[in-house]
Amino acid sequence: MTSDFSRPVFRPSATFDRLFASEDPAEVSRAAHATATTLLARAREDEDPETIERLIAFTASHGIDDIAQLWSRSPAKSLPGALWRMYLMQLSIHDDPHTAALLYERGRHQLSTTDTMVAGAPTPASPAELVALIDTILRGAFAGDFAVALDRTAAFCRVQASGSTHLADDYEQTEPHRSTALTTRALRLASYADDLAIAARLWRRDDLL
């Protein structure tokens, strides 16, 4: 961890100092919720564009391990669980924007829902445009309407899940291993979409803890 992130991200309370040494699930859960709550509150209170941009660029600069240790064991329908899924989606698109664009475009053609409009990608969306989109959505989580950011990420996941499902069908006969991998990805994306949509509803009711 770097000093740039110590104040807005990783020092919300004394509880965090014991996070990595603790094997007590209750202690880890308290630390996860404390860091997520404080991170979001400070980002909104500071209204400092540089702070927001550091949060957006965190995984690109430092990887996912620190965030994983903070939030990956949190319940899906919790604030740290929701933030974890948003960062995972961002990382997956940054790591392989060409596959992300392929899945998104295939899903866009297959879906007859409003998900593509909610997600807000251009049509068709290039790899670079999807990278910019997911960063914009994450930026909205810290500086805009958090529920809207969750809904947009959920919609993005549903479009990509549809694309993964239909590509899996294409490869089922010729490349079954690739078909299986795409099916697994589709199921994971669909699960994230459901979790994030529920998190958005909970946030609007002030029940996302």
Side-chain angles (χ1 to χ4, degrees):
M1 300 176 199
T2 68
S3 58
D4 287 344
F5 283 84
S6 59
R7 188 177 71 84
V9 180
F10 292 125
R11 296 292 174 185
S13 69
T15 305
F16 175 75
D17 294 326
R18 300 190 299 277
L19 175 63
F20 297 112
S22 176
E23 293 298 328
D24 179 1
E27 184 79 357
V28 172
S29 177
R30 283 193 292 272
H33 285 77
T35 53
T37 300
T38 303
L39 181 150
L40 203 58
R42 286 185 175 175
R44 291 168 177 276
E45 289 169 3
D46 288 350
E47 296 183 349
D48 180 357
E50 291 187 5
T51 296
I52 303 299
E53 293 311 308
R54 287 199 300 270
L55 291 171
I56 302 307
F58 185 81
T59 59
S61 301
H62 303 278
I64 198 71
D65 289 348
D66 289 331
I67 293 175
Q69 290 187 69
L70 281 170
W71 298 331
S72 64
R73 287 178 281 177
S74 299
K77 301 169 186 67
S78 68
L79 180 59
L83 284 169
W84 166 241
R85 281 155 179 76
M86 294 183 79
Y87 269 113
L88 275 181
M89 283 303 300
Q90 185 205 35
L91 184 64
S92 72
I93 294 161
H94 278 233
D95 277 356
D96 191 355
H98 292 281
T99 297
L102 174 65
L103 297 180
Y104 193 91
E105 185 64 10
R106 184 62 182 274
R108 180 178 73 84
H109 281 292
Q110 297 294 336
L111 283 178
S112 58
T113 66
T114 61
D115 286 315
T116 55
M117 290 185 288
V118 173
T123 54
S126 69
E129 286 170 332
L130 282 190
V131 169
L133 173 67
I134 199 65
D135 287 353
T136 296
I137 292 173
L138 190 58
R139 188 175 294 109
F142 295 117
D145 187 321
F146 188 63
V148 169
L150 291 170
D151 279 333
R152 292 185 71 186
T153 311
F156 195 104
C157 289
R158 279 190 289 269
V159 177
Q160 285 213 315
S162 174
S164 294
T165 297
H166 286 89
L167 278 178
D169 291 342
D170 292 346
Y171 286 114
E172 186 173 3
Q173 298 301 320
T174 58
E175 297 182 57
H177 293 298
R178 180 175 291 187
S179 177
T180 298
L182 286 164
T183 298
T184 300
R185 183 169 185 162
L187 291 171
R188 185 179 300 114
L189 286 164
S191 175
Y192 284 0
D194 290 343
D195 293 337
L196 290 164
I198 292 171
R201 292 197 292 272
L202 290 172
W203 178 265
R204 290 186 173 98
R205 301 202 307 257
D206 293 326
D207 288 333
L208 186 66
L209 305 175

